[in-house]
Amino acid sequence: SHLGSSNSKIKIQRSPFLPEPLLFEMGYAGYAPGNKVAEALTPLQQALRSLPLEKAQEILELLEKVTRNVVRNPGEEKFRSLKLTNPKIAASVADAPSMVDAFKDMGWVQEGEMLVLPPSVRLAHEVHVVGLIDAKDWWKKEAENEKRRQTRAGKLDDEQKEIIQKMELDRKEKEAEGPVLHGSVAKKLGDGPNIMRAGDVGIGKSSGGG
């Protein structure tokens, strides 16, 4: 009975993650490639999260458009084949080769310069379209985080620039004021000792001595 209770405890600990893996993955995955949580991502999710940040939304829009066409028209052959030589697709693949991996993970097969979705493969809205929407949301957050990082870095740069500018201004002001102050002091000191030396040495004293 002790062993049974031990096993039940293990099941209770794991069960919250198994029914809703997407929630688990969206919340924690993707931070450490070697982390066990990151391994919970499906190949499709991994491919979608490997896109370049600046092109992610554009590529996901294209993937979503193609996927929605297939979901709405599952029997239409024209929606089940794509030319990799198509200028828009070719440009996207050049920017992000992992886009082809995303297609393959959804069931598309590469045949020469074509991507073909076999008749046996059915794309589902709740799986594939929703998965792409989730990826768009994930990248949106990534973009916001990156923007915040850049803003913080920019503020630091601005603060550093201001400090350097102030230091430079202070240095120039000191250089400009320095010679004037030193010159006036030197002049006063020069006059003072001359008068005092004349009084001390005194022509009267030397004449009186003669």
Side-chain angles (χ1 to χ4, degrees), residues 11 16 29 39 48 63 66-67 69 79 84 88 116-117 131 143 150 156 182 194 199:
K11 289 179 182 177
E39 291 171 6
L48 295 177
L63 283 165
V66 170
T67 304
N69 283 340
F79 293 129
L84 290 172
K88 193 168 185 179
V116 179
L117 191 65
Q150 290 179 356
L156 286 174
H182 294 321
N194 286 340

Side-chain angles (χ1 to χ4, degrees), residues 22 26 45 49 129-139:
L22 285 176
M26 288 298 291
Q45 287 171 318
R49 294 187 186 191
V129 175
V130 170
L132 289 166
I133 293 170
D134 285 343
K136 286 166 70 176
D137 289 341
W138 187 85
W139 277 112

Side-chain angles (χ1 to χ4, degrees), residues 178-193:
V180 176
L181 291 171
H182 294 321
S184 61
V185 171
K187 187 177 180 183
K188 287 175 183 177
L189 290 173
D191 288 345

Side-chain angles (χ1 to χ4, degrees), residues 38-125:
E39 291 171 6
L41 288 173
T42 65
L44 176 58
Q45 287 171 318
Q46 289 174 4
L48 295 177
R49 294 187 186 191
S50 300
L51 301 172
L53 176 63
E54 64 278 6
K55 295 286 184 179
Q57 292 295 344
E58 182 183 336
I59 291 169
L60 287 168
E61 287 287 347
L62 177 59
L63 283 165
E64 186 181 344
K65 181 180 178 182
V66 170
T67 304
R68 283 183 182 276
N69 283 340
V70 174
V71 170
R72 289 169 183 165
N73 310 278
E76 286 282 347
E77 288 300 320
K78 65 178 181 179
F79 293 129
R80 302 179 73 89
S81 62
L82 298 169
K83 290 181 180 179
L84 290 172
T85 53
N86 175 287
K88 193 168 185 179
I89 294 175
S92 297
V93 171
D95 290 331
S98 59
M99 174 180 167
V100 176
D101 295 330
F103 271 115
K104 289 179 179 179
D105 289 328
M106 283 192 284
W108 294 77
V109 177
Q110 187 170 352
E111 297 178 358
E113 294 183 341
M114 297 285 292
L115 280 173
V116 179
L117 191 65
S120 59
V121 178
R122 288 286 181 268
L123 299 184
H125 181 277

Side-chain angles (χ1 to χ4, degrees), residues 139-149:
W139 277 112
K140 185 179 178 182
K141 289 174 185 175
E142 282 296 296
E144 289 170 356
N145 290 336
E146 180 61 25
K147 189 175 180 181
R148 279 195 289 269
R149 283 193 290 268

